[in-house]
Each structure stands twice: as C-alpha cells, then as structure tokens.
Amino acid sequence: MGNPLLDICAIVDKDFLDKYTLKPNDQILAEDKHKELFEEIVKKFKVEYHAGGATQNSIKIAQWMIQQPHKVGTFFGCIGKDKFGEILKEKAKEAHIDAHYYEQDEEPTGTCAACITADNRSLVANLAAANCYKKEKHLDLEENWQLVEKAKVYYIAGFFLTVSLESILKVAKHASENNKLFCLNLSAPFICQFFKDNLMQVMPYVDVLFGNETEATAFAKEQEFETEDTKEIAKKAQALPKVNSKRHRIVVLTQGKDETVIASSDKVKTFPVLKIDPKDIVDTNGAGDAFVGGFLSELVQEKPLDQCVKAAHYAANVIIRRAGCTFPEKPDFK
C-alpha cells in the first residue's frame, strides 16, 4: 500500500531545468511554481511513462524476480479518474501487479517528472490524488480487506505515513495478530524527522525495517540513540519494543556502495554489495526500491536471510545500470 505515481521521464535541456529552478540531480515535492512543468515536459520532449511510486516500484521488482505466477503482489493506493490514471492502470497490468486503486475525481493522478540531463535526473513529485487515500472508502471494503487477509507479507514505504496512518495501523495490527510479516521502509530523512510520531506508532508492529544510511542517521538522531554508527543504529532499532514476540525484528540498512548491515535477534551481520564499475551506473534512484523488491521476492518464499539479501543486491545492481526503475525481460538470478 502506498503512493502510486506515474513517472514521466524525458531527456530535457538546461534551459528547462533553469526555468523551473531545478538542480540537475535532486528529489523534491512540487510547489506552485512547478504546476506547468508537468504539461510542458509532455508537450516539449519525448516522454516515457512508467508506473512509479516507491512501494509500487518494489512490488513490480518482486514480481519481476519471481516471474511466475503473475500477480503475486496486490497494491492499494489512490489515483484520479483521468488519462494518467488510465496509463497507470495499464502499466501496472503490464508489470503483472494486481493493483486495486481507490479512484476519486477531486484530485488528479499523482505524477513524478524525471528530468534527465546527461547522467543526472531531477525528480519532481506531485502527490495529488496519492494523498487522498481513505481507509473507510477503500481498505475497509469487504472485497479489498479480503485481499489483505489473503496476503502473507505486507510492505509499505514510509512515504505513506504522510497519507493514511490509520490504514497502515489496520494492516500492521492484522499482520501482528496473525503472525504474518509486516515490512516498513524509513523512506526519507524527512519521514524520520517530521512524521516520527506516526512512524513510532507503527514501529511496534514492524517485523522487517528497511532504510539507507542517511535515513538511519536521521532516525537515530530523532530517537536519541547517540550514535551515527550504522551497525549500532541497526542494533538499537532492532531492540525497540515489539508487539508480536513470536518474531524477532530484522533491521536492514543499506549504505550505497558500502556493505549492507543487518541486525537480527542476537547479532549484526554485514553483506558486501555486488561490485560495479562507476561508469556502468546510469541512475541510482531506483536502487533502494529495487533492493526491497529483490528482498521481498525471496522473503515471501520463506528463503533464508542471506538469500534475501543476495536477491536484493542483485536487483539493485540491475536497476542502477538503467534509467528509471526499469529492468530487462528476465532476471538472471540463482
């Protein structure tokens, strides 16, 4: 469950970046001054559309890793009744995701413009409809809740904490009460800082917590862990209170090209990432989403932890060689 966004990718020029005061390599939320950007990029440049949003990207990658059967992942989120919403539905179908969107007509479908110049991309996200998800209008409906009950593993990116805390808590409690796996991502430093109350309401239900080193540092600071050491942070996050004592929390922290840190019940382990020549890196933006997707693809098959990490590293390594969160037809993973 998360924020479904239609990624609109185009190679643009410096004038376009300057016009909207964009840095070549950045991620921002759209402000009023960016309103026209979304229309202009479609009119002026050759664009590609991809089903996006962090959670949806991860589910898409998990499906790609698993290949068969189709529709292993069900996705909930809110879109508008418009052209972009139709494209998003089409793209989710192509990726074999079982998407059940809450469709409303007050806000347009959320979009993320990826403005590419050389090997940089500037991301401008306009949440719009994604921000309108309503528990009572969608999650609580019997046909939707049945899909939740059917699932074994749940994944929600921290970004959704800004949208519908009550939806997250309902799913998290269900997972906990039924001894199923609930996974959450810290997603961004601003989530750890400005939405920490929401985050900490959900934390007791989290079985697997994902994050990268910058998010981990922000989290540790807000929680007064008094350390910036990734291994120590993982250990302390692992030990935070937990409702379902049948499962020990697992904390998974990535560090870009440096080793991935994993804290489980009694130990902290590190796993080196796959080596890659810097000149083969096209775009690191989808790496975190892909990492989670790879991890989930093995987790749902109840594979051991080191196999989950291996798949996570493989998926991230494939994604950073390509623009956007895209992938070749089939994975080459054993």
Side-chain angles (χ1 to χ4, degrees):
M1 186 162 59
N3 297 334
L5 302 175
L6 186 73
D7 287 345
I8 307 170
C9 311
I11 294 168
V12 302
D13 49 36
K14 190 178 177 305
D15 291 346
F16 186 79
L17 294 184
D18 292 346
K19 179 176 175 181
Y20 292 105
T21 57
L22 302 175
K23 293 177 191 155
N25 218 3
D26 204 6
Q27 282 172 281
I28 61 166
L29 286 176
E31 297 168 42
D32 283 349
K33 64 180 177 187
H34 303 113
K35 281 271 173 11
E36 269 76 62
L37 179 151
F38 294 89
E39 294 298 320
E40 187 177 340
I41 196 168
V42 173
K43 284 199 186 98
K44 206 167 170 183
F45 304 99
K46 185 173 176 292
V47 301
E48 272 188 22
Y49 294 104
H50 298 285
T55 308
Q56 195 163 246
N57 279 344
S58 294
I59 301 305
K60 187 166 71 168
I61 296 282
Q63 176 65 62
W64 171 71
M65 289 287 286
I66 290 167
Q67 289 285 307
Q68 297 287 349
H70 288 161
K71 294 192 172 180
V72 291
T74 303
F75 178 80
F76 290 175
C78 183
I79 60 174
K81 295 180 179 171
D82 50 24
K83 185 181 86 202
F84 283 167
E86 289 305 314
I87 297 174
L88 208 44
K89 285 197 269 195
E90 196 47 51
K91 293 288 178 186
K93 204 161 125 194
E94 281 170 22
H96 309 300
I97 296 172
D98 190 21
H100 293 256
Y101 297 117
Y102 166 47
E103 299 179 45
Q104 49 75 59
D105 46 21
E106 279 167 38
E107 283 283 340
T109 296
T111 47
C112 179
C115 312
I116 302 161
T117 49
D119 57 358
N120 287 321
R121 76 202 294 246
S122 196
L123 299 171
V124 187
N126 179 26
L127 294 185
N131 217 9
C132 301
Y133 189 83
K134 299 275 181 291
K135 174 177 163 290
E136 63 285 356
K137 292 270 177 70
H138 194 263
L139 185 68
D140 291 345
L141 302 184
E142 196 182 340
E143 68 268 27
N144 292 331
W145 187 249
Q146 280 176 347
L147 293 166
V148 175
E149 291 182 321
K150 201 178 81 175
K152 288 196 297 196
V153 176
Y154 304 89
Y155 173 67
I156 300 176
F159 290 123
F160 201 59
L161 286 163
T162 74
V163 175
S164 182
L165 174 64
E166 55 283 3
S167 297
I168 300 177
L169 284 170
K170 184 174 182 180
V171 172
K173 286 172 181 171
H174 168 80
S176 189
E177 284 157 12
N178 294 278
N179 196 28
K180 299 188 204 175
L181 279 161
F182 182 79
C183 314
L184 185 79
N185 202 318
L186 293 174
S187 289
F190 83 85
I191 299 290
C192 304
Q193 291 158 344
F194 307 118
F195 292 89
K196 73 170 170 194
D197 293 349
N198 289 10
L199 176 61
M200 295 322 283
Q201 279 189 58
V202 178
M203 195 58 74
Y205 303 100
V206 177
D207 294 299
V208 185
L209 180 69
F210 295 101
N212 66 23
E213 75 280 34
T214 20
E215 293 149 13
T217 306
F219 181 69
K221 195 175 168 202
E222 292 299 325
Q223 299 302 316
E224 298 175 354
F225 284 173
E226 295 180 348
T227 178
E228 288 192 358
D229 178 276
T230 309
K231 290 182 192 160
E232 280 302 305
I233 296 171
K235 213 159 139 183
K236 288 185 183 241
Q238 195 280 328
L240 288 167
K242 194 168 183 303
V243 173
N244 177 11
S245 55
K246 291 194 192 103
R247 292 182 188 276
H248 293 290
R249 182 180 294 120
I250 298 165
V251 177
V252 185
L253 301 176
T254 59
Q255 309 185 87
K257 66 181 186 324
D258 298 324
E259 58 197 15
T260 295
V261 173
I262 299 200
S264 50
S265 54
D266 49 353
K267 52 189 178 297
V268 178
K269 283 171 99 172
T270 58
F271 298 83
V273 304
L274 295 169
K275 294 245 184 299
I276 184 168
D277 187 325
K279 66 174 192 296
D280 291 332
I281 299 176
V282 174
D283 173 8
T284 56
N285 183 60
D289 298 340
F291 177 95
V292 171
F295 194 99
L296 293 175
S297 72
E298 297 291 303
L299 187 70
V300 76
Q301 299 179 73
E302 296 172 6
K303 298 283 175 64
L305 203 53
D306 52 358
Q307 186 67 6
C308 296
V309 182
K310 197 178 157 190
H313 285 161
Y314 167 78
N317 184 275
V318 169
I319 290 325
I320 59 179
R321 297 167 189 269
R322 307 165 68 95
C325 200
T326 61
F327 36 80
E329 194 192 339
K330 283 198 162 78
D332 175 25
F333 176 75
K334 294 288 173 285

mmCIF file with all atom_site columns, all heavy atoms in Angstrom, residues 305-328:
data_model
loop_
_atom_site.group_PDB
_atom_site.id
_atom_site.type_symbol
_atom_site.label_atom_id
_atom_site.label_alt_id
_atom_site.label_comp_id
_atom_site.label_asym_id
_atom_site.label_entity_id
_atom_site.label_seq_id
_atom_site.pdbx_PDB_ins_code
_atom_site.Cartn_x
_atom_site.Cartn_y
_atom_site.Cartn_z
_atom_site.occupancy
_atom_site.B_iso_or_equiv
_atom_site.pdbx_formal_charge
_atom_site.auth_seq_id
_atom_site.auth_comp_id
_atom_site.auth_asym_id
_atom_site.auth_atom_id
_atom_site.pdbx_PDB_model_num
ATOM 1   N N   . LEU A 1 305 ? 17.695 -15.563 5.285   1.00 0.00 ? 305 LEU A N   1
ATOM 2   C CA  . LEU A 1 305 ? 18.046 -14.145 5.226   1.00 0.00 ? 305 LEU A CA  1
ATOM 3   C C   . LEU A 1 305 ? 19.151 -13.820 4.221   1.00 0.00 ? 305 LEU A C   1
ATOM 4   O O   . LEU A 1 305 ? 19.050 -12.861 3.455   1.00 0.00 ? 305 LEU A O   1
ATOM 5   C CB  . LEU A 1 305 ? 18.463 -13.686 6.633   1.00 0.00 ? 305 LEU A CB  1
ATOM 6   C CG  . LEU A 1 305 ? 18.370 -12.213 6.954   1.00 0.00 ? 305 LEU A CG  1
ATOM 7   C CD1 . LEU A 1 305 ? 16.996 -11.661 6.640   1.00 0.00 ? 305 LEU A CD1 1
ATOM 8   C CD2 . LEU A 1 305 ? 18.728 -11.961 8.412   1.00 0.00 ? 305 LEU A CD2 1
ATOM 9   N N   . ASP A 1 306 ? 20.215 -14.646 4.211   1.00 0.00 ? 306 ASP A N   1
ATOM 10  C CA  . ASP A 1 306 ? 21.320 -14.315 3.294   1.00 0.00 ? 306 ASP A CA  1
ATOM 11  C C   . ASP A 1 306 ? 20.895 -14.425 1.825   1.00 0.00 ? 306 ASP A C   1
ATOM 12  O O   . ASP A 1 306 ? 21.394 -13.703 0.967   1.00 0.00 ? 306 ASP A O   1
ATOM 13  C CB  . ASP A 1 306 ? 22.594 -15.145 3.573   1.00 0.00 ? 306 ASP A CB  1
ATOM 14  C CG  . ASP A 1 306 ? 22.325 -16.636 3.625   1.00 0.00 ? 306 ASP A CG  1
ATOM 15  O OD1 . ASP A 1 306 ? 21.159 -17.050 3.493   1.00 0.00 ? 306 ASP A OD1 1
ATOM 16  O OD2 . ASP A 1 306 ? 23.294 -17.402 3.797   1.00 0.00 ? 306 ASP A OD2 1
ATOM 17  N N   . GLN A 1 307 ? 19.923 -15.294 1.539   1.00 0.00 ? 307 GLN A N   1
ATOM 18  C CA  . GLN A 1 307 ? 19.392 -15.417 0.179   1.00 0.00 ? 307 GLN A CA  1
ATOM 19  C C   . GLN A 1 307 ? 18.537 -14.194 -0.175  1.00 0.00 ? 307 GLN A C   1
ATOM 20  O O   . GLN A 1 307 ? 18.573 -13.706 -1.302  1.00 0.00 ? 307 GLN A O   1
ATOM 21  C CB  . GLN A 1 307 ? 18.581 -16.706 0.061   1.00 0.00 ? 307 GLN A CB  1
ATOM 22  C CG  . GLN A 1 307 ? 18.078 -17.048 -1.341  1.00 0.00 ? 307 GLN A CG  1
ATOM 23  C CD  . GLN A 1 307 ? 19.181 -17.402 -2.330  1.00 0.00 ? 307 GLN A CD  1
ATOM 24  O OE1 . GLN A 1 307 ? 20.352 -17.511 -1.966  1.00 0.00 ? 307 GLN A OE1 1
ATOM 25  N NE2 . GLN A 1 307 ? 18.820 -17.552 -3.595  1.00 0.00 ? 307 GLN A NE2 1
ATOM 26  N N   . CYS A 1 308 ? 17.796 -13.672 0.798   1.00 0.00 ? 308 CYS A N   1
ATOM 27  C CA  . CYS A 1 308 ? 17.001 -12.449 0.597   1.00 0.00 ? 308 CYS A CA  1
ATOM 28  C C   . CYS A 1 308 ? 17.916 -11.273 0.250   1.00 0.00 ? 308 CYS A C   1
ATOM 29  O O   . CYS A 1 308 ? 17.638 -10.488 -0.661  1.00 0.00 ? 308 CYS A O   1
ATOM 30  C CB  . CYS A 1 308 ? 16.202 -12.104 1.848   1.00 0.00 ? 308 CYS A CB  1
ATOM 31  S SG  . CYS A 1 308 ? 14.950 -13.311 2.299   1.00 0.00 ? 308 CYS A SG  1
ATOM 32  N N   . VAL A 1 309 ? 19.038 -11.171 0.977   1.00 0.00 ? 309 VAL A N   1
ATOM 33  C CA  . VAL A 1 309 ? 19.997 -10.079 0.742   1.00 0.00 ? 309 VAL A CA  1
ATOM 34  C C   . VAL A 1 309 ? 20.662 -10.232 -0.618  1.00 0.00 ? 309 VAL A C   1
ATOM 35  O O   . VAL A 1 309 ? 20.859 -9.258  -1.349  1.00 0.00 ? 309 VAL A O   1
ATOM 36  C CB  . VAL A 1 309 ? 21.085 -10.041 1.842   1.00 0.00 ? 309 VAL A CB  1
ATOM 37  C CG1 . VAL A 1 309 ? 22.029 -8.880  1.612   1.00 0.00 ? 309 VAL A CG1 1
ATOM 38  C CG2 . VAL A 1 309 ? 20.446 -9.912  3.208   1.00 0.00 ? 309 VAL A CG2 1
ATOM 39  N N   . LYS A 1 310 ? 20.989 -11.460 -0.963  1.00 0.00 ? 310 LYS A N   1
ATOM 40  C CA  . LYS A 1 310 ? 21.632 -11.739 -2.258  1.00 0.00 ? 310 LYS A CA  1
ATOM 41  C C   . LYS A 1 310 ? 20.718 -11.272 -3.403  1.00 0.00 ? 310 LYS A C   1
ATOM 42  O O   . LYS A 1 310 ? 21.162 -10.617 -4.349  1.00 0.00 ? 310 LYS A O   1
ATOM 43  C CB  . LYS A 1 310 ? 21.908 -13.246 -2.362  1.00 0.00 ? 310 LYS A CB  1
ATOM 44  C CG  . LYS A 1 310 ? 22.907 -13.616 -3.428  1.00 0.00 ? 310 LYS A CG  1
ATOM 45  C CD  . LYS A 1 310 ? 23.159 -15.127 -3.418  1.00 0.00 ? 310 LYS A CD  1
ATOM 46  C CE  . LYS A 1 310 ? 23.690 -15.568 -4.775  1.00 0.00 ? 310 LYS A CE  1
ATOM 47  N NZ  . LYS A 1 310 ? 23.734 -17.029 -4.909  1.00 0.00 ? 310 LYS A NZ  1
ATOM 48  N N   . ALA A 1 311 ? 19.439 -11.590 -3.292  1.00 0.00 ? 311 ALA A N   1
ATOM 49  C CA  . ALA A 1 311 ? 18.461 -11.177 -4.310  1.00 0.00 ? 311 ALA A CA  1
ATOM 50  C C   . ALA A 1 311 ? 18.304 -9.662  -4.328  1.00 0.00 ? 311 ALA A C   1
ATOM 51  O O   . ALA A 1 311 ? 18.170 -9.042  -5.389  1.00 0.00 ? 311 ALA A O   1
ATOM 52  C CB  . ALA A 1 311 ? 17.116 -11.845 -4.041  1.00 0.00 ? 311 ALA A CB  1
ATOM 53  N N   . ALA A 1 312 ? 18.331 -9.054  -3.141  1.00 0.00 ? 312 ALA A N   1
ATOM 54  C CA  . ALA A 1 312 ? 18.208 -7.590  -3.017  1.00 0.00 ? 312 ALA A CA  1
ATOM 55  C C   . ALA A 1 312 ? 19.371 -6.897  -3.725  1.00 0.00 ? 312 ALA A C   1
ATOM 56  O O   . ALA A 1 312 ? 19.185 -5.958  -4.504  1.00 0.00 ? 312 ALA A O   1
ATOM 57  C CB  . ALA A 1 312 ? 18.172 -7.200  -1.547  1.00 0.00 ? 312 ALA A CB  1
ATOM 58  N N   . HIS A 1 313 ? 20.587 -7.385  -3.463  1.00 0.00 ? 313 HIS A N   1
ATOM 59  C CA  . HIS A 1 313 ? 21.780 -6.808  -4.088  1.00 0.00 ? 313 HIS A CA  1
ATOM 60  C C   . HIS A 1 313 ? 21.768 -7.011  -5.600  1.00 0.00 ? 313 HIS A C   1
ATOM 61  O O   . HIS A 1 313 ? 22.148 -6.120  -6.357  1.00 0.00 ? 313 HIS A O   1
ATOM 62  C CB  . HIS A 1 313 ? 23.052 -7.422  -3.491  1.00 0.00 ? 313 HIS A CB  1
ATOM 63  C CG  . HIS A 1 313 ? 23.370 -6.909  -2.121  1.00 0.00 ? 313 HIS A CG  1
ATOM 64  N ND1 . HIS A 1 313 ? 24.203 -7.558  -1.257  1.00 0.00 ? 313 HIS A ND1 1
ATOM 65  C CD2 . HIS A 1 313 ? 22.953 -5.791  -1.465  1.00 0.00 ? 313 HIS A CD2 1
ATOM 66  C CE1 . HIS A 1 313 ? 24.295 -6.869  -0.122  1.00 0.00 ? 313 HIS A CE1 1
ATOM 67  N NE2 . HIS A 1 313 ? 23.542 -5.798  -0.225  1.00 0.00 ? 313 HIS A NE2 1
ATOM 68  N N   . TYR A 1 314 ? 21.304 -8.167  -6.026  1.00 0.00 ? 314 TYR A N   1
ATOM 69  C CA  . TYR A 1 314 ? 21.237 -8.448  -7.468  1.00 0.00 ? 314 TYR A CA  1
ATOM 70  C C   . TYR A 1 314 ? 20.279 -7.463  -8.151  1.00 0.00 ? 314 TYR A C   1
ATOM 71  O O   . TYR A 1 314 ? 20.618 -6.836  -9.159  1.00 0.00 ? 314 TYR A O   1
ATOM 72  C CB  . TYR A 1 314 ? 20.772 -9.894  -7.727  1.00 0.00 ? 314 TYR A CB  1
ATOM 73  C CG  . TYR A 1 314 ? 20.397 -10.112 -9.171  1.00 0.00 ? 314 TYR A CG  1
ATOM 74  C CD1 . TYR A 1 314 ? 21.387 -10.299 -10.143 1.00 0.00 ? 314 TYR A CD1 1
ATOM 75  C CD2 . TYR A 1 314 ? 19.065 -10.060 -9.582  1.00 0.00 ? 314 TYR A CD2 1
ATOM 76  C CE1 . TYR A 1 314 ? 21.042 -10.440 -11.486 1.00 0.00 ? 314 TYR A CE1 1
ATOM 77  C CE2 . TYR A 1 314 ? 18.724 -10.201 -10.911 1.00 0.00 ? 314 TYR A CE2 1
ATOM 78  C CZ  . TYR A 1 314 ? 19.711 -10.387 -11.864 1.00 0.00 ? 314 TYR A CZ  1
ATOM 79  O OH  . TYR A 1 314 ? 19.375 -10.503 -13.198 1.00 0.00 ? 314 TYR A OH  1
ATOM 80  N N   . ALA A 1 315 ? 19.061 -7.327  -7.597  1.00 0.00 ? 315 ALA A N   1
ATOM 81  C CA  . ALA A 1 315 ? 18.054 -6.449  -8.209  1.00 0.00 ? 315 ALA A CA  1
ATOM 82  C C   . ALA A 1 315 ? 18.538 -4.999  -8.270  1.00 0.00 ? 315 ALA A C   1
ATOM 83  O O   . ALA A 1 315 ? 18.398 -4.330  -9.305  1.00 0.00 ? 315 ALA A O   1
ATOM 84  C CB  . ALA A 1 315 ? 16.739 -6.543  -7.439  1.00 0.00 ? 315 ALA A CB  1
ATOM 85  N N   . ALA A 1 316 ? 19.145 -4.519  -7.189  1.00 0.00 ? 316 ALA A N   1
ATOM 86  C CA  . ALA A 1 316 ? 19.651 -3.139  -7.165  1.00 0.00 ? 316 ALA A CA  1
ATOM 87  C C   . ALA A 1 316 ? 20.747 -2.950  -8.215  1.00 0.00 ? 316 ALA A C   1
ATOM 88  O O   . ALA A 1 316 ? 20.796 -1.930  -8.906  1.00 0.00 ? 316 ALA A O   1
ATOM 89  C CB  . ALA A 1 316 ? 20.179 -2.799  -5.775  1.00 0.00 ? 316 ALA A CB  1
ATOM 90  N N   . ASN A 1 317 ? 21.600 -3.970  -8.351  1.00 0.00 ? 317 ASN A N   1
ATOM 91  C CA  . ASN A 1 317 ? 22.706 -3.910  -9.312  1.00 0.00 ? 317 ASN A CA  1
ATOM 92  C C   . ASN A 1 317 ? 22.194 -3.822  -10.756 1.00 0.00 ? 317 ASN A C   1
ATOM 93  O O   . ASN A 1 317 ? 22.770 -3.122  -11.595 1.00 0.00 ? 317 ASN A O   1
ATOM 94  C CB  . ASN A 1 317 ? 23.602 -5.140  -9.122  1.00 0.00 ? 317 ASN A CB  1
ATOM 95  C CG  . ASN A 1 317 ? 24.832 -5.107  -10.011 1.00 0.00 ? 317 ASN A CG  1
ATOM 96  O OD1 . ASN A 1 317 ? 24.790 -5.512  -11.169 1.00 0.00 ? 317 ASN A OD1 1
ATOM 97  N ND2 . ASN A 1 317 ? 25.937 -4.626  -9.463  1.00 0.00 ? 317 ASN A ND2 1
ATOM 98  N N   . VAL A 1 318 ? 21.097 -4.495  -11.041 1.00 0.00 ? 318 VAL A N   1
ATOM 99  C CA  . VAL A 1 318 ? 20.499 -4.453  -12.390 1.00 0.00 ? 318 VAL A CA  1
ATOM 100 C C   . VAL A 1 318 ? 19.880 -3.079  -12.650 1.00 0.00 ? 318 VAL A C   1
ATOM 101 O O   . VAL A 1 318 ? 20.078 -2.472  -13.710 1.00 0.00 ? 318 VAL A O   1
ATOM 102 C CB  . VAL A 1 318 ? 19.411 -5.555  -12.547 1.00 0.00 ? 318 VAL A CB  1
ATOM 103 C CG1 . VAL A 1 318 ? 18.602 -5.351  -13.834 1.00 0.00 ? 318 VAL A CG1 1
ATOM 104 C CG2 . VAL A 1 318 ? 20.044 -6.943  -12.545 1.00 0.00 ? 318 VAL A CG2 1
ATOM 105 N N   . ILE A 1 319 ? 19.144 -2.570  -11.669 1.00 0.00 ? 319 ILE A N   1
ATOM 106 C CA  . ILE A 1 319 ? 18.377 -1.329  -11.830 1.00 0.00 ? 319 ILE A CA  1
ATOM 107 C C   . ILE A 1 319 ? 19.270 -0.108  -12.032 1.00 0.00 ? 319 ILE A C   1
ATOM 108 O O   . ILE A 1 319 ? 18.951 0.769   -12.819 1.00 0.00 ? 319 ILE A O   1
ATOM 109 C CB  . ILE A 1 319 ? 17.443 -1.115  -10.597 1.00 0.00 ? 319 ILE A CB  1
ATOM 110 C CG1 . ILE A 1 319 ? 16.300 -2.122  -10.548 1.00 0.00 ? 319 ILE A CG1 1
ATOM 111 C CG2 . ILE A 1 319 ? 16.885 0.304   -10.550 1.00 0.00 ? 319 ILE A CG2 1
ATOM 112 C CD1 . ILE A 1 319 ? 15.651 -2.621  -11.785 1.00 0.00 ? 319 ILE A CD1 1
ATOM 113 N N   . ILE A 1 320 ? 20.410 -0.056  -11.332 1.00 0.00 ? 320 ILE A N   1
ATOM 114 C CA  . ILE A 1 320 ? 21.258 1.151   -11.439 1.00 0.00 ? 320 ILE A CA  1
ATOM 115 C C   . ILE A 1 320 ? 21.982 1.253   -12.782 1.00 0.00 ? 320 ILE A C   1
ATOM 116 O O   . ILE A 1 320 ? 22.559 2.283   -13.105 1.00 0.00 ? 320 ILE A O   1
ATOM 117 C CB  . ILE A 1 320 ? 22.271 1.301   -10.263 1.00 0.00 ? 320 ILE A CB  1
ATOM 118 C CG1 . ILE A 1 320 ? 23.217 0.105   -10.167 1.00 0.00 ? 320 ILE A CG1 1
ATOM 119 C CG2 . ILE A 1 320 ? 21.531 1.520   -8.956  1.00 0.00 ? 320 ILE A CG2 1
ATOM 120 C CD1 . ILE A 1 320 ? 24.237 0.241   -9.035  1.00 0.00 ? 320 ILE A CD1 1
ATOM 121 N N   . ARG A 1 321 ? 21.908 0.194   -13.583 1.00 0.00 ? 321 ARG A N   1
ATOM 122 C CA  . ARG A 1 321 ? 22.509 0.238   -14.919 1.00 0.00 ? 321 ARG A CA  1
ATOM 123 C C   . ARG A 1 321 ? 21.544 0.808   -15.958 1.00 0.00 ? 321 ARG A C   1
ATOM 124 O O   . ARG A 1 321 ? 21.865 0.891   -17.139 1.00 0.00 ? 321 ARG A O   1
ATOM 125 C CB  . ARG A 1 321 ? 22.916 -1.176  -15.370 1.00 0.00 ? 321 ARG A CB  1
ATOM 126 C CG  . ARG A 1 321 ? 23.976 -1.817  -14.506 1.00 0.00 ? 321 ARG A CG  1
ATOM 127 C CD  . ARG A 1 321 ? 24.108 -3.300  -14.801 1.00 0.00 ? 321 ARG A CD  1
ATOM 128 N NE  . ARG A 1 321 ? 24.979 -3.943  -13.825 1.00 0.00 ? 321 ARG A NE  1
ATOM 129 C CZ  . ARG A 1 321 ? 26.300 -4.083  -13.979 1.00 0.00 ? 321 ARG A CZ  1
ATOM 130 N NH1 . ARG A 1 321 ? 26.888 -3.642  -15.076 1.00 0.00 ? 321 ARG A NH1 1
ATOM 131 N NH2 . ARG A 1 321 ? 27.023 -4.668  -13.045 1.00 0.00 ? 321 ARG A NH2 1
ATOM 132 N N   . ARG A 1 322 ? 20.328 1.133   -15.518 1.00 0.00 ? 322 ARG A N   1
ATOM 133 C CA  . ARG A 1 322 ? 19.284 1.573   -16.446 1.00 0.00 ? 322 ARG A CA  1
ATOM 134 C C   . ARG A 1 322 ? 18.609 2.846   -15.935 1.00 0.00 ? 322 ARG A C   1
ATOM 135 O O   . ARG A 1 322 ? 18.640 3.136   -14.753 1.00 0.00 ? 322 ARG A O   1
ATOM 136 C CB  . ARG A 1 322 ? 18.224 0.471   -16.592 1.00 0.00 ? 322 ARG A CB  1
ATOM 137 C CG  . ARG A 1 322 ? 18.815 -0.881  -16.970 1.00 0.00 ? 322 ARG A CG  1
ATOM 138 C CD  . ARG A 1 322 ? 17.825 -1.999  -16.746 1.00 0.00 ? 322 ARG A CD  1
ATOM 139 N NE  . ARG A 1 322 ? 16.703 -1.921  -17.676 1.00 0.00 ? 322 ARG A NE  1
ATOM 140 C CZ  . ARG A 1 322 ? 16.650 -2.598  -18.824 1.00 0.00 ? 322 ARG A CZ  1
ATOM 141 N NH1 . ARG A 1 322 ? 17.629 -3.410  -19.154 1.00 0.00 ? 322 ARG A NH1 1
ATOM 142 N NH2 . ARG A 1 322 ? 15.610 -2.474  -19.614 1.00 0.00 ? 322 ARG A NH2 1
ATOM 143 N N   . ALA A 1 323 ? 17.971 3.578   -16.837 1.00 0.00 ? 323 ALA A N   1
ATOM 144 C CA  . ALA A 1 323 ? 17.267 4.803   -16.428 1.00 0.00 ? 323 ALA A CA  1
ATOM 145 C C   . ALA A 1 323 ? 15.907 4.439   -15.836 1.00 0.00 ? 323 ALA A C   1
ATOM 146 O O   . ALA A 1 323 ? 15.204 3.591   -16.366 1.00 0.00 ? 323 ALA A O   1
ATOM 147 C CB  . ALA A 1 323 ? 17.084 5.724   -17.619 1.00 0.00 ? 323 ALA A CB  1
ATOM 148 N N   . GLY A 1 324 ? 15.578 5.066   -14.710 1.00 0.00 ? 324 GLY A N   1
ATOM 149 C CA  . GLY A 1 324 ? 14.286 4.807   -14.073 1.00 0.00 ? 324 GLY A CA  1
ATOM 150 C C   . GLY A 1 324 ? 14.281 3.433   -13.427 1.00 0.00 ? 324 GLY A C   1
ATOM 151 O O   . GLY A 1 324 ? 15.282 2.729   -13.413 1.00 0.00 ? 324 GLY A O   1
ATOM 152 N N   . CYS A 1 325 ? 13.137 3.057   -12.872 1.00 0.00 ? 325 CYS A N   1
ATOM 153 C CA  . CYS A 1 325 ? 13.058 1.745   -12.237 1.00 0.00 ? 325 CYS A CA  1
ATOM 154 C C   . CYS A 1 325 ? 12.594 0.732   -13.289 1.00 0.00 ? 325 CYS A C   1
ATOM 155 O O   . CYS A 1 325 ? 11.474 0.261   -13.277 1.00 0.00 ? 325 CYS A O   1
ATOM 156 C CB  . CYS A 1 325 ? 12.091 1.791   -11.049 1.00 0.00 ? 325 CYS A CB  1
ATOM 157 S SG  . CYS A 1 325 ? 12.370 0.440   -9.903  1.00 0.00 ? 325 CYS A SG  1
ATOM 158 N N   . THR A 1 326 ? 13.475 0.464   -14.271 1.00 0.00 ? 326 THR A N   1
ATOM 159 C CA  . THR A 1 326 ? 13.136 -0.460  -15.366 1.00 0.00 ? 326 THR A CA  1
ATOM 160 C C   . THR A 1 326 ? 14.090 -1.654  -15.324 1.00 0.00 ? 326 THR A C   1
ATOM 161 O O   . THR A 1 326 ? 15.128 -1.606  -14.681 1.00 0.00 ? 326 THR A O   1
ATOM 162 C CB  . THR A 1 326 ? 13.266 0.251   -16.730 1.00 0.00 ? 326 THR A CB  1
ATOM 163 O OG1 . THR A 1 326 ? 14.626 0.680   -16.914 1.00 0.00 ? 326 THR A OG1 1
ATOM 164 C CG2 . THR A 1 326 ? 12.345 1.468   -16.826 1.00 0.00 ? 326 THR A CG2 1
ATOM 165 N N   . PHE A 1 327 ? 13.710 -2.698  -16.056 1.00 0.00 ? 327 PHE A N   1
ATOM 166 C CA  . PHE A 1 327 ? 14.528 -3.913  -15.981 1.00 0.00 ? 327 PHE A CA  1
ATOM 167 C C   . PHE A 1 327 ? 14.452 -4.705  -17.285 1.00 0.00 ? 327 PHE A C   1
ATOM 168 O O   . PHE A 1 327 ? 13.510 -4.529  -18.067 1.00 0.00 ? 327 PHE A O   1
ATOM 169 C CB  . PHE A 1 327 ? 14.063 -4.803  -14.806 1.00 0.00 ? 327 PHE A CB  1
ATOM 170 C CG  . PHE A 1 327 ? 12.584 -4.787  -14.580 1.00 0.00 ? 327 PHE A CG  1
ATOM 171 C CD1 . PHE A 1 327 ? 11.731 -5.545  -15.365 1.00 0.00 ? 327 PHE A CD1 1
ATOM 172 C CD2 . PHE A 1 327 ? 12.027 -4.003  -13.569 1.00 0.00 ? 327 PHE A CD2 1
ATOM 173 C CE1 . PHE A 1 327 ? 10.359 -5.537  -15.181 1.00 0.00 ? 327 PHE A CE1 1
ATOM 174 C CE2 . PHE A 1 327 ? 10.641 -3.979  -13.373 1.00 0.00 ? 327 PHE A CE2 1
ATOM 175 C CZ  . PHE A 1 327 ? 9.821  -4.739  -14.177 1.00 0.00 ? 327 PHE A CZ  1
ATOM 176 N N   . PRO A 1 328 ? 15.437 -5.587  -17.519 1.00 0.00 ? 328 PRO A N   1
ATOM 177 C CA  . PRO A 1 328 ? 15.369 -6.436  -18.709 1.00 0.00 ? 328 PRO A CA  1
ATOM 178 C C   . PRO A 1 328 ? 14.203 -7.426  -18.607 1.00 0.00 ? 328 PRO A C   1
ATOM 179 O O   . PRO A 1 328 ? 13.536 -7.495  -17.564 1.00 0.00 ? 328 PRO A O   1
ATOM 180 C CB  . PRO A 1 328 ? 16.713 -7.176  -18.708 1.00 0.00 ? 328 PRO A CB  1
ATOM 181 C CG  . PRO A 1 328 ? 17.214 -7.089  -17.311 1.00 0.00 ? 328 PRO A CG  1
ATOM 182 C CD  . PRO A 1 328 ? 16.646 -5.839  -16.725 1.00 0.00 ? 328 PRO A CD  1
#
